[in-house]
Amino acid sequence: MLLTGQGSWRRGRTAWRRWRKGRPFWGGLAAVVAGAEICAIPLAPLKIMLQQGIAGIPSVLMGLVMILMGLSAWFAPYYRGLAGILTVLVATAALVISNLGGFLFGTIVGILGGGMIFAWQPRPLPEPEPGPQADAGPQADAGPQADAGPSGSEPSAPSRTQPQS
């Protein structure tokens, strides 16, 4: 197994899946694609675009903001609310300012991506199963302890969350 590299491939694939599921990956990807499309349209040759004028500068800036919001959804998923709302607002503004929002493709994909970023929520982790107790000494029969939870039978544990798939 060491010579074939199968173990490292599986570990890499597992790490990639864990990273991808821990953030709004597909919404961020849609925002990056839409931003790149809105940003690239003003840079097209003049044969494709009839007349660009000064409208190219805001188009490029809006595309860069959408790319930045998509990347922030990937690398800072706890700012997903702000990133999602800004992505939708910029994609909607691009409809008016930037050649129908990149020929409607950038606007539609940007609005969908921003909605996916905004709607993403981390999924709570399942509670760990209690393992067998190796040291069942005199404290196993003791009553409620000082660190017992609200029911008095089990200690209170902090809430854990797992990324959504």
Side-chain angles (χ1 to χ4, degrees):
M1 180 125 127
L2 183 61
L3 296 175
T4 61
Q6 286 270 339
S8 63
W9 173 257
R10 287 185 181 157
R11 280 193 304 271
R13 189 172 177 188
T14 302
W16 165 252
R17 284 184 178 174
R18 189 177 313 119
W19 182 85
R20 183 186 52 144
K21 290 181 180 185
R23 57 207 74 247
F25 178 77
W26 297 111
L29 182 66
V32 168
V33 167
E37 201 271 337
I38 288 174
C39 195
I41 291 296
L43 303 176
L46 288 178
K47 291 181 182 179
I48 296 173
M49 304 306 299
L50 296 177
Q51 185 168 357
Q52 189 61 41
I54 194 77
I57 295 170
S59 300
V60 171
L61 291 177
M62 286 191 302
L64 290 176
V65 167
M66 288 180 68
I67 291 171
L68 182 67
M69 291 300 108
L71 292 176
S72 71
W74 284 351
F75 298 111
Y78 294 105
Y79 294 115
R80 65 187 179 274
L82 176 67
I85 290 172
L86 283 177
T87 302
V88 169
L89 288 175
V90 170
T92 306
L95 182 65
V96 177
I97 296 174
S98 174
N99 300 318
L100 290 175
F103 300 123
L104 285 175
F105 177 79
T107 295
I108 291 171
V109 173
I111 289 172
L112 290 175
M116 286 191 287
I117 291 171
F118 185 77
W120 180 83
Q121 292 289 319
R123 183 173 32 159
L125 285 173
E127 290 297 322
E129 296 180 14
Q133 294 185 3
D135 186 24
Q139 289 189 359
D141 297 324
Q145 299 174 358
D147 63 344
S151 65
S153 62
E154 58 187 40
S156 60
S159 173
R160 297 174 38 177
T161 60
Q162 177 183 8
Q164 185 178 19
S165 34

mmCIF file of all heavy atoms in Angstrom, residues 18-71:
data_model
loop_
_atom_site.group_PDB
_atom_site.id
_atom_site.type_symbol
_atom_site.label_atom_id
_atom_site.label_comp_id
_atom_site.label_asym_id
_atom_site.label_seq_id
_atom_site.Cartn_x
_atom_site.Cartn_y
_atom_site.Cartn_z
ATOM 1 N N ARG A 18 -14.017 16.652 3.707
ATOM 2 C CA ARG A 18 -14.273 17.279 4.995
ATOM 3 C C ARG A 18 -14.194 18.799 4.867
ATOM 4 O O ARG A 18 -15.031 19.519 5.413
ATOM 5 C CB ARG A 18 -13.258 16.775 6.018
ATOM 6 C CG ARG A 18 -13.580 17.206 7.428
ATOM 7 C CD ARG A 18 -12.604 16.656 8.464
ATOM 8 N NE ARG A 18 -12.343 15.239 8.293
ATOM 9 C CZ ARG A 18 -11.139 14.728 8.049
ATOM 10 N NH1 ARG A 18 -10.099 15.524 7.925
ATOM 11 N NH2 ARG A 18 -10.977 13.426 7.922
ATOM 12 N N TRP A 19 -13.192 19.304 4.123
ATOM 13 C CA TRP A 19 -13.060 20.743 3.937
ATOM 14 C C TRP A 19 -14.247 21.296 3.157
ATOM 15 O O TRP A 19 -14.807 22.317 3.507
ATOM 16 C CB TRP A 19 -11.759 21.048 3.188
ATOM 17 C CG TRP A 19 -11.532 22.510 2.993
ATOM 18 C CD1 TRP A 19 -10.954 23.372 3.865
ATOM 19 C CD2 TRP A 19 -11.899 23.292 1.845
ATOM 20 N NE1 TRP A 19 -10.925 24.631 3.334
ATOM 21 C CE2 TRP A 19 -11.492 24.614 2.094
ATOM 22 C CE3 TRP A 19 -12.527 22.999 0.635
ATOM 23 C CZ2 TRP A 19 -11.696 25.630 1.187
ATOM 24 C CZ3 TRP A 19 -12.726 24.029 -0.268
ATOM 25 C CH2 TRP A 19 -12.313 25.328 0.016
ATOM 26 N N ARG A 20 -14.644 20.601 2.087
ATOM 27 C CA ARG A 20 -15.717 21.067 1.218
ATOM 28 C C ARG A 20 -17.051 21.088 1.955
ATOM 29 O O ARG A 20 -17.862 21.990 1.781
ATOM 30 C CB ARG A 20 -15.820 20.161 -0.001
ATOM 31 C CG ARG A 20 -16.855 20.598 -1.007
ATOM 32 C CD ARG A 20 -16.975 19.572 -2.062
ATOM 33 N NE ARG A 20 -17.181 18.283 -1.416
ATOM 34 C CZ ARG A 20 -17.949 17.326 -1.898
ATOM 35 N NH1 ARG A 20 -18.547 17.489 -3.019
ATOM 36 N NH2 ARG A 20 -18.090 16.200 -1.257
ATOM 37 N N LYS A 21 -17.295 20.074 2.809
ATOM 38 C CA LYS A 21 -18.564 20.011 3.522
ATOM 39 C C LYS A 21 -18.618 20.964 4.710
ATOM 40 O O LYS A 21 -19.690 21.206 5.257
ATOM 41 C CB LYS A 21 -18.817 18.587 4.002
ATOM 42 C CG LYS A 21 -19.121 17.654 2.857
ATOM 43 C CD LYS A 21 -19.395 16.257 3.346
ATOM 44 C CE LYS A 21 -19.699 15.350 2.166
ATOM 45 N NZ LYS A 21 -20.077 14.012 2.611
ATOM 46 N N GLY A 22 -17.479 21.535 5.086
ATOM 47 C CA GLY A 22 -17.439 22.446 6.221
ATOM 48 C C GLY A 22 -17.705 23.892 5.869
ATOM 49 O O GLY A 22 -17.499 24.764 6.695
ATOM 50 N N ARG A 23 -18.165 24.145 4.666
ATOM 51 C CA ARG A 23 -18.385 25.521 4.229
ATOM 52 C C ARG A 23 -19.376 25.531 3.062
ATOM 53 O O ARG A 23 -19.645 24.497 2.474
ATOM 54 C CB ARG A 23 -17.073 26.161 3.819
ATOM 55 C CG ARG A 23 -16.342 25.424 2.753
ATOM 56 C CD ARG A 23 -14.854 25.649 2.812
ATOM 57 N NE ARG A 23 -14.267 24.924 3.926
ATOM 58 C CZ ARG A 23 -13.726 25.489 5.001
ATOM 59 N NH1 ARG A 23 -13.654 26.778 5.105
ATOM 60 N NH2 ARG A 23 -13.239 24.766 5.976
ATOM 61 N N PRO A 24 -19.938 26.690 2.714
ATOM 62 C CA PRO A 24 -20.865 26.755 1.577
ATOM 63 C C PRO A 24 -20.104 26.683 0.253
ATOM 64 O O PRO A 24 -19.971 27.669 -0.471
ATOM 65 C CB PRO A 24 -21.578 28.089 1.773
ATOM 66 C CG PRO A 24 -20.635 28.915 2.567
ATOM 67 C CD PRO A 24 -19.860 27.966 3.428
ATOM 68 N N PHE A 25 -19.597 25.503 -0.079
ATOM 69 C CA PHE A 25 -18.698 25.353 -1.218
ATOM 70 C C PHE A 25 -19.385 25.657 -2.536
ATOM 71 O O PHE A 25 -18.868 26.412 -3.355
ATOM 72 C CB PHE A 25 -18.122 23.937 -1.240
ATOM 73 C CG PHE A 25 -17.230 23.686 -2.410
ATOM 74 C CD1 PHE A 25 -15.946 24.190 -2.417
ATOM 75 C CD2 PHE A 25 -17.674 22.989 -3.517
ATOM 76 C CE1 PHE A 25 -15.114 23.986 -3.499
ATOM 77 C CE2 PHE A 25 -16.861 22.778 -4.602
ATOM 78 C CZ PHE A 25 -15.571 23.274 -4.590
ATOM 79 N N TRP A 26 -20.546 25.069 -2.791
ATOM 80 C CA TRP A 26 -21.197 25.234 -4.105
ATOM 81 C C TRP A 26 -21.699 26.653 -4.309
ATOM 82 O O TRP A 26 -21.652 27.188 -5.417
ATOM 83 C CB TRP A 26 -22.314 24.220 -4.283
ATOM 84 C CG TRP A 26 -21.768 22.827 -4.274
ATOM 85 C CD1 TRP A 26 -21.942 21.874 -3.309
ATOM 86 C CD2 TRP A 26 -20.913 22.237 -5.258
ATOM 87 N NE1 TRP A 26 -21.259 20.741 -3.640
ATOM 88 C CE2 TRP A 26 -20.614 20.932 -4.834
ATOM 89 C CE3 TRP A 26 -20.363 22.689 -6.444
ATOM 90 C CZ2 TRP A 26 -19.800 20.080 -5.557
ATOM 91 C CZ3 TRP A 26 -19.552 21.840 -7.171
ATOM 92 C CH2 TRP A 26 -19.282 20.547 -6.721
ATOM 93 N N GLY A 27 -22.166 27.302 -3.269
ATOM 94 C CA GLY A 27 -22.560 28.705 -3.391
ATOM 95 C C GLY A 27 -21.360 29.598 -3.668
ATOM 96 O O GLY A 27 -21.428 30.522 -4.478
ATOM 97 N N GLY A 28 -20.239 29.322 -2.999
ATOM 98 C CA GLY A 28 -19.020 30.075 -3.250
ATOM 99 C C GLY A 28 -18.500 29.863 -4.658
ATOM 100 O O GLY A 28 -18.037 30.802 -5.312
ATOM 101 N N LEU A 29 -18.604 28.627 -5.148
ATOM 102 C CA LEU A 29 -18.168 28.346 -6.517
ATOM 103 C C LEU A 29 -19.043 29.083 -7.525
ATOM 104 O O LEU A 29 -18.531 29.659 -8.493
ATOM 105 C CB LEU A 29 -18.204 26.843 -6.783
ATOM 106 C CG LEU A 29 -17.740 26.404 -8.164
ATOM 107 C CD1 LEU A 29 -16.262 26.710 -8.337
ATOM 108 C CD2 LEU A 29 -18.014 24.928 -8.358
ATOM 109 N N ALA A 30 -20.350 29.102 -7.288
ATOM 110 C CA ALA A 30 -21.253 29.820 -8.191
ATOM 111 C C ALA A 30 -20.949 31.319 -8.176
ATOM 112 O O ALA A 30 -20.962 31.973 -9.225
ATOM 113 C CB ALA A 30 -22.707 29.562 -7.803
ATOM 114 N N ALA A 31 -20.647 31.876 -6.995
ATOM 115 C CA ALA A 31 -20.318 33.301 -6.915
ATOM 116 C C ALA A 31 -19.013 33.611 -7.641
ATOM 117 O O ALA A 31 -18.904 34.626 -8.330
ATOM 118 C CB ALA A 31 -20.236 33.734 -5.452
ATOM 119 N N VAL A 32 -18.021 32.735 -7.522
ATOM 120 C CA VAL A 32 -16.741 32.954 -8.205
ATOM 121 C C VAL A 32 -16.921 32.867 -9.715
ATOM 122 O O VAL A 32 -16.399 33.700 -10.472
ATOM 123 C CB VAL A 32 -15.683 31.945 -7.708
ATOM 124 C CG1 VAL A 32 -14.456 31.950 -8.592
ATOM 125 C CG2 VAL A 32 -15.296 32.254 -6.266
ATOM 126 N N VAL A 33 -17.691 31.886 -10.185
ATOM 127 C CA VAL A 33 -17.929 31.732 -11.625
ATOM 128 C C VAL A 33 -18.700 32.935 -12.178
ATOM 129 O O VAL A 33 -18.358 33.483 -13.230
ATOM 130 C CB VAL A 33 -18.666 30.409 -11.917
ATOM 131 C CG1 VAL A 33 -19.200 30.367 -13.333
ATOM 132 C CG2 VAL A 33 -17.746 29.236 -11.660
ATOM 133 N N ALA A 34 -19.737 33.353 -11.444
ATOM 134 C CA ALA A 34 -20.525 34.505 -11.902
ATOM 135 C C ALA A 34 -19.681 35.778 -11.901
ATOM 136 O O ALA A 34 -19.755 36.586 -12.836
ATOM 137 C CB ALA A 34 -21.749 34.685 -11.008
ATOM 138 N N GLY A 35 -18.859 35.962 -10.879
ATOM 139 C CA GLY A 35 -18.001 37.137 -10.831
ATOM 140 C C GLY A 35 -16.977 37.144 -11.951
ATOM 141 O O GLY A 35 -16.703 38.181 -12.551
ATOM 142 N N ALA A 36 -16.415 35.978 -12.240
ATOM 143 C CA ALA A 36 -15.440 35.888 -13.327
ATOM 144 C C ALA A 36 -16.102 36.181 -14.672
ATOM 145 O O ALA A 36 -15.519 36.837 -15.538
ATOM 146 C CB ALA A 36 -14.792 34.507 -13.338
ATOM 147 N N GLU A 37 -17.320 35.725 -14.840
ATOM 148 C CA GLU A 37 -18.038 35.959 -16.097
ATOM 149 C C GLU A 37 -18.395 37.433 -16.252
ATOM 150 O O GLU A 37 -18.222 38.014 -17.330
ATOM 151 C CB GLU A 37 -19.287 35.078 -16.130
ATOM 152 C CG GLU A 37 -19.822 34.835 -17.509
ATOM 153 C CD GLU A 37 -20.812 35.894 -17.930
ATOM 154 O OE1 GLU A 37 -21.399 36.532 -17.053
ATOM 155 O OE2 GLU A 37 -20.999 36.060 -19.137
ATOM 156 N N ILE A 38 -18.861 38.065 -15.189
ATOM 157 C CA ILE A 38 -19.196 39.497 -15.248
ATOM 158 C C ILE A 38 -17.934 40.320 -15.450
ATOM 159 O O ILE A 38 -17.931 41.318 -16.159
ATOM 160 C CB ILE A 38 -19.957 39.920 -13.974
ATOM 161 C CG1 ILE A 38 -21.369 39.335 -14.003
ATOM 162 C CG2 ILE A 38 -20.006 41.429 -13.826
ATOM 163 C CD1 ILE A 38 -22.154 39.564 -12.747
ATOM 164 N N CYS A 39 -16.843 39.881 -14.847
ATOM 165 C CA CYS A 39 -15.569 40.598 -14.976
ATOM 166 C C CYS A 39 -14.963 40.423 -16.366
ATOM 167 O O CYS A 39 -14.311 41.327 -16.870
ATOM 168 C CB CYS A 39 -14.618 40.071 -13.906
ATOM 169 S SG CYS A 39 -13.192 41.063 -13.617
ATOM 170 N N ALA A 40 -15.172 39.284 -16.997
ATOM 171 C CA ALA A 40 -14.543 39.000 -18.286
ATOM 172 C C ALA A 40 -15.278 39.621 -19.462
ATOM 173 O O ALA A 40 -14.649 39.928 -20.479
ATOM 174 C CB ALA A 40 -14.453 37.491 -18.495
ATOM 175 N N ILE A 41 -16.576 39.829 -19.347
ATOM 176 C CA ILE A 41 -17.349 40.364 -20.471
ATOM 177 C C ILE A 41 -16.850 41.752 -20.895
ATOM 178 O O ILE A 41 -16.682 42.003 -22.079
ATOM 179 C CB ILE A 41 -18.854 40.377 -20.143
ATOM 180 C CG1 ILE A 41 -19.391 38.953 -20.078
ATOM 181 C CG2 ILE A 41 -19.632 41.193 -21.145
ATOM 182 C CD1 ILE A 41 -19.336 38.194 -21.378
ATOM 183 N N PRO A 42 -16.583 42.690 -19.982
ATOM 184 C CA PRO A 42 -16.086 43.999 -20.437
ATOM 185 C C PRO A 42 -14.697 43.929 -21.061
ATOM 186 O O PRO A 42 -14.292 44.836 -21.780
ATOM 187 C CB PRO A 42 -16.035 44.845 -19.174
ATOM 188 C CG PRO A 42 -16.909 44.173 -18.217
ATOM 189 C CD PRO A 42 -16.898 42.732 -18.562
ATOM 190 N N LEU A 43 -13.954 42.867 -20.793
ATOM 191 C CA LEU A 43 -12.614 42.733 -21.353
ATOM 192 C C LEU A 43 -12.621 42.022 -22.699
ATOM 193 O O LEU A 43 -11.578 41.749 -23.265
ATOM 194 C CB LEU A 43 -11.726 41.976 -20.357
ATOM 195 C CG LEU A 43 -11.621 42.618 -18.973
ATOM 196 C CD1 LEU A 43 -10.805 41.728 -18.053
ATOM 197 C CD2 LEU A 43 -11.029 44.000 -19.052
ATOM 198 N N ALA A 44 -13.798 41.717 -23.223
ATOM 199 C CA ALA A 44 -13.919 41.038 -24.512
ATOM 200 C C ALA A 44 -13.536 41.986 -25.649
ATOM 201 O O ALA A 44 -13.568 43.214 -25.498
ATOM 202 C CB ALA A 44 -15.361 40.553 -24.706
ATOM 203 N N PRO A 45 -13.192 41.449 -26.813
ATOM 204 C CA PRO A 45 -12.865 42.321 -27.952
ATOM 205 C C PRO A 45 -14.073 43.163 -28.373
ATOM 206 O O PRO A 45 -15.223 42.805 -28.122
ATOM 207 C CB PRO A 45 -12.498 41.337 -29.059
ATOM 208 C CG PRO A 45 -12.224 40.046 -28.387
ATOM 209 C CD PRO A 45 -12.988 40.049 -27.100
ATOM 210 N N LEU A 46 -13.780 44.267 -29.010
ATOM 211 C CA LEU A 46 -14.850 45.176 -29.403
ATOM 212 C C LEU A 46 -15.778 44.584 -30.455
ATOM 213 O O LEU A 46 -16.883 45.078 -30.655
ATOM 214 C CB LEU A 46 -14.261 46.500 -29.894
ATOM 215 C CG LEU A 46 -13.657 47.377 -28.796
ATOM 216 C CD1 LEU A 46 -13.063 48.642 -29.401
ATOM 217 C CD2 LEU A 46 -14.709 47.729 -27.773
ATOM 218 N N LYS A 47 -15.335 43.545 -31.151
ATOM 219 C CA LYS A 47 -16.236 42.893 -32.098
ATOM 220 C C LYS A 47 -17.401 42.247 -31.375
ATOM 221 O O LYS A 47 -18.512 42.193 -31.896
ATOM 222 C CB LYS A 47 -15.481 41.838 -32.902
ATOM 223 C CG LYS A 47 -14.469 42.426 -33.854
ATOM 224 C CD LYS A 47 -13.770 41.342 -34.634
ATOM 225 C CE LYS A 47 -12.728 41.950 -35.560
ATOM 226 N NZ LYS A 47 -12.016 40.924 -36.325
ATOM 227 N N ILE A 48 -17.147 41.745 -30.164
ATOM 228 C CA ILE A 48 -18.228 41.128 -29.394
ATOM 229 C C ILE A 48 -19.079 42.199 -28.719
ATOM 230 O O ILE A 48 -20.292 42.162 -28.747
ATOM 231 C CB ILE A 48 -17.651 40.150 -28.356
ATOM 232 C CG1 ILE A 48 -16.944 38.998 -29.075
ATOM 233 C CG2 ILE A 48 -18.741 39.609 -27.450
ATOM 234 C CD1 ILE A 48 -16.195 38.075 -28.154
ATOM 235 N N MET A 49 -18.426 43.171 -28.103
ATOM 236 C CA MET A 49 -19.147 44.241 -27.424
ATOM 237 C C MET A 49 -19.290 45.425 -28.375
ATOM 238 O O MET A 49 -18.319 45.833 -29.003
ATOM 239 C CB MET A 49 -18.380 44.688 -26.179
ATOM 240 C CG MET A 49 -18.102 43.564 -25.211
ATOM 241 S SD MET A 49 -19.571 42.657 -24.729
ATOM 242 C CE MET A 49 -20.491 43.930 -23.964
ATOM 243 N N LEU A 50 -20.459 45.969 -28.516
ATOM 244 C CA LEU A 50 -20.679 47.060 -29.453
ATOM 245 C C LEU A 50 -19.894 48.303 -29.060
ATOM 246 O O LEU A 50 -19.146 48.858 -29.850
ATOM 247 C CB LEU A 50 -22.169 47.366 -29.539
ATOM 248 C CG LEU A 50 -23.021 46.233 -30.111
ATOM 249 C CD1 LEU A 50 -24.485 46.616 -30.081
ATOM 250 C CD2 LEU A 50 -22.576 45.917 -31.525
ATOM 251 N N GLN A 51 -20.086 48.768 -27.861
ATOM 252 C CA GLN A 51 -19.317 49.915 -27.404
ATOM 253 C C GLN A 51 -19.243 49.831 -25.889
ATOM 254 O O GLN A 51 -20.273 49.769 -25.216
ATOM 255 C CB GLN A 51 -19.972 51.224 -27.821
ATOM 256 C CG GLN A 51 -19.123 52.411 -27.451
ATOM 257 C CD GLN A 51 -19.618 53.678 -28.116
ATOM 258 O OE1 GLN A 51 -20.552 53.643 -28.894
ATOM 259 N NE2 GLN A 51 -18.982 54.783 -27.796
ATOM 260 N N GLN A 52 -18.025 49.856 -25.367
ATOM 261 C CA GLN A 52 -17.836 49.663 -23.938
ATOM 262 C C GLN A 52 -17.939 50.965 -23.170
ATOM 263 O O GLN A 52 -18.708 51.083 -22.243
ATOM 264 C CB GLN A 52 -16.472 49.003 -23.694
ATOM 265 C CG GLN A 52 -16.258 48.560 -22.283
ATOM 266 C CD GLN A 52 -17.270 47.540 -21.870
ATOM 267 O OE1 GLN A 52 -17.621 46.656 -22.604
ATOM 268 N NE2 GLN A 52 -17.788 47.689 -20.677
ATOM 269 N N GLY A 53 -17.126 51.925 -23.495
ATOM 270 C CA GLY A 53 -17.151 53.193 -22.774
ATOM 271 C C GLY A 53 -16.642 53.041 -21.353
ATOM 272 O O GLY A 53 -15.839 52.172 -21.039
ATOM 273 N N ILE A 54 -17.122 53.893 -20.474
ATOM 274 C CA ILE A 54 -16.703 53.895 -19.077
ATOM 275 C C ILE A 54 -17.392 52.794 -18.278
ATOM 276 O O ILE A 54 -17.037 52.536 -17.140
ATOM 277 C CB ILE A 54 -16.965 55.281 -18.459
ATOM 278 C CG1 ILE A 54 -16.243 55.467 -17.120
ATOM 279 C CG2 ILE A 54 -18.435 55.498 -18.261
ATOM 280 C CD1 ILE A 54 -14.798 55.731 -17.261
ATOM 281 N N ALA A 55 -18.346 52.123 -18.867
ATOM 282 C CA ALA A 55 -19.095 51.078 -18.158
ATOM 283 C C ALA A 55 -18.243 49.868 -17.835
ATOM 284 O O ALA A 55 -18.629 49.034 -17.028
ATOM 285 C CB ALA A 55 -20.292 50.642 -18.990
ATOM 286 N N GLY A 56 -17.074 49.741 -18.408
ATOM 287 C CA GLY A 56 -16.218 48.593 -18.144
ATOM 288 C C GLY A 56 -15.625 48.590 -16.752
ATOM 289 O O GLY A 56 -15.421 47.538 -16.158
ATOM 290 N N ILE A 57 -15.347 49.767 -16.197
ATOM 291 C CA ILE A 57 -14.718 49.844 -14.884
ATOM 292 C C ILE A 57 -15.646 49.328 -13.781
ATOM 293 O O ILE A 57 -15.233 48.492 -12.988
ATOM 294 C CB ILE A 57 -14.228 51.276 -14.606
ATOM 295 C CG1 ILE A 57 -13.123 51.616 -15.599
ATOM 296 C CG2 ILE A 57 -13.726 51.414 -13.170
ATOM 297 C CD1 ILE A 57 -12.722 53.055 -15.583
ATOM 298 N N PRO A 58 -16.897 49.767 -13.682
ATOM 299 C CA PRO A 58 -17.771 49.206 -12.647
ATOM 300 C C PRO A 58 -18.036 47.707 -12.847
ATOM 301 O O PRO A 58 -18.191 46.972 -11.881
ATOM 302 C CB PRO A 58 -19.076 49.996 -12.762
ATOM 303 C CG PRO A 58 -18.740 51.207 -13.520
ATOM 304 C CD PRO A 58 -17.557 50.886 -14.359
ATOM 305 N N SER A 59 -18.064 47.273 -14.091
ATOM 306 C CA SER A 59 -18.289 45.852 -14.348
ATOM 307 C C SER A 59 -17.156 45.011 -13.800
ATOM 308 O O SER A 59 -17.383 43.973 -13.161
ATOM 309 C CB SER A 59 -18.432 45.601 -15.843
ATOM 310 O OG SER A 59 -19.514 46.317 -16.356
ATOM 311 N N VAL A 60 -15.939 45.445 -14.037
ATOM 312 C CA VAL A 60 -14.785 44.707 -13.520
ATOM 313 C C VAL A 60 -14.778 44.741 -11.994
ATOM 314 O O VAL A 60 -14.521 43.725 -11.343
ATOM 315 C CB VAL A 60 -13.478 45.281 -14.109
ATOM 316 C CG1 VAL A 60 -12.262 44.680 -13.428
ATOM 317 C CG2 VAL A 60 -13.421 45.038 -15.600
ATOM 318 N N LEU A 61 -15.085 45.890 -11.407
ATOM 319 C CA LEU A 61 -15.112 45.985 -9.942
ATOM 320 C C LEU A 61 -16.204 45.107 -9.340
ATOM 321 O O LEU A 61 -15.982 44.470 -8.305
ATOM 322 C CB LEU A 61 -15.298 47.444 -9.519
ATOM 323 C CG LEU A 61 -14.110 48.367 -9.787
ATOM 324 C CD1 LEU A 61 -14.446 49.797 -9.402
ATOM 325 C CD2 LEU A 61 -12.883 47.871 -9.051
ATOM 326 N N MET A 62 -17.383 45.080 -9.953
ATOM 327 C CA MET A 62 -18.449 44.212 -9.431
ATOM 328 C C MET A 62 -18.081 42.751 -9.550
ATOM 329 O O MET A 62 -18.362 41.953 -8.652
ATOM 330 C CB MET A 62 -19.767 44.506 -10.161
ATOM 331 C CG MET A 62 -20.383 45.799 -9.731
ATOM 332 S SD MET A 62 -22.054 46.040 -10.318
ATOM 333 C CE MET A 62 -21.844 45.915 -12.059
ATOM 334 N N GLY A 63 -17.447 42.381 -10.638
ATOM 335 C CA GLY A 63 -16.991 41.006 -10.784
ATOM 336 C C GLY A 63 -15.964 40.632 -9.728
ATOM 337 O O GLY A 63 -16.006 39.538 -9.157
ATOM 338 N N LEU A 64 -15.043 41.550 -9.437
ATOM 339 C CA LEU A 64 -14.037 41.285 -8.411
ATOM 340 C C LEU A 64 -14.658 41.167 -7.024
ATOM 341 O O LEU A 64 -14.234 40.336 -6.213
ATOM 342 C CB LEU A 64 -12.969 42.373 -8.428
ATOM 343 C CG LEU A 64 -12.046 42.377 -9.645
ATOM 344 C CD1 LEU A 64 -11.094 43.566 -9.585
ATOM 345 C CD2 LEU A 64 -11.278 41.078 -9.735
ATOM 346 N N VAL A 65 -15.677 41.977 -6.734
ATOM 347 C CA VAL A 65 -16.368 41.874 -5.444
ATOM 348 C C VAL A 65 -17.073 40.526 -5.324
ATOM 349 O O VAL A 65 -17.029 39.882 -4.264
ATOM 350 C CB VAL A 65 -17.362 43.049 -5.256
ATOM 351 C CG1 VAL A 65 -18.305 42.809 -4.092
ATOM 352 C CG2 VAL A 65 -16.605 44.347 -5.061
ATOM 353 N N MET A 66 -17.695 40.070 -6.405
ATOM 354 C CA MET A 66 -18.374 38.768 -6.353
ATOM 355 C C MET A 66 -17.368 37.629 -6.174
ATOM 356 O O MET A 66 -17.634 36.677 -5.433
ATOM 357 C CB MET A 66 -19.210 38.559 -7.606
ATOM 358 C CG MET A 66 -20.452 39.424 -7.629
ATOM 359 S SD MET A 66 -21.446 39.189 -9.083
ATOM 360 C CE MET A 66 -22.038 37.549 -8.842
ATOM 361 N N ILE A 67 -16.220 37.731 -6.833
ATOM 362 C CA ILE A 67 -15.188 36.713 -6.639
ATOM 363 C C ILE A 67 -14.696 36.727 -5.193
ATOM 364 O O ILE A 67 -14.532 35.673 -4.569
ATOM 365 C CB ILE A 67 -14.029 36.938 -7.633
ATOM 366 C CG1 ILE A 67 -14.484 36.635 -9.055
ATOM 367 C CG2 ILE A 67 -12.825 36.079 -7.265
ATOM 368 C CD1 ILE A 67 -13.496 37.028 -10.125
ATOM 369 N N LEU A 68 -14.497 37.909 -4.646
ATOM 370 C CA LEU A 68 -14.054 38.038 -3.256
ATOM 371 C C LEU A 68 -15.082 37.464 -2.283
ATOM 372 O O LEU A 68 -14.716 36.793 -1.311
ATOM 373 C CB LEU A 68 -13.774 39.503 -2.940
ATOM 374 C CG LEU A 68 -13.255 39.798 -1.546
ATOM 375 C CD1 LEU A 68 -11.863 39.220 -1.379
ATOM 376 C CD2 LEU A 68 -13.242 41.287 -1.303
ATOM 377 N N MET A 69 -16.368 37.684 -2.537
ATOM 378 C CA MET A 69 -17.404 37.138 -1.660
ATOM 379 C C MET A 69 -17.464 35.608 -1.748
ATOM 380 O O MET A 69 -17.686 34.929 -0.753
ATOM 381 C CB MET A 69 -18.776 37.744 -2.001
ATOM 382 C CG MET A 69 -18.916 39.205 -1.653
ATOM 383 S SD MET A 69 -18.692 39.550 0.090
ATOM 384 C CE MET A 69 -17.114 40.353 0.090
ATOM 385 N N GLY A 70 -17.278 35.073 -2.940
ATOM 386 C CA GLY A 70 -17.241 33.621 -3.082
ATOM 387 C C GLY A 70 -16.059 33.010 -2.347
ATOM 388 O O GLY A 70 -16.184 31.981 -1.677
ATOM 389 N N LEU A 71 -14.890 33.655 -2.439
ATOM 390 C CA LEU A 71 -13.717 33.159 -1.724
ATOM 391 C C LEU A 71 -13.867 33.314 -0.219
ATOM 392 O O LEU A 71 -13.414 32.456 0.551
ATOM 393 C CB LEU A 71 -12.469 33.891 -2.207
ATOM 394 C CG LEU A 71 -12.047 33.593 -3.649
ATOM 395 C CD1 LEU A 71 -10.857 34.464 -4.043
ATOM 396 C CD2 LEU A 71 -11.730 32.126 -3.832
#
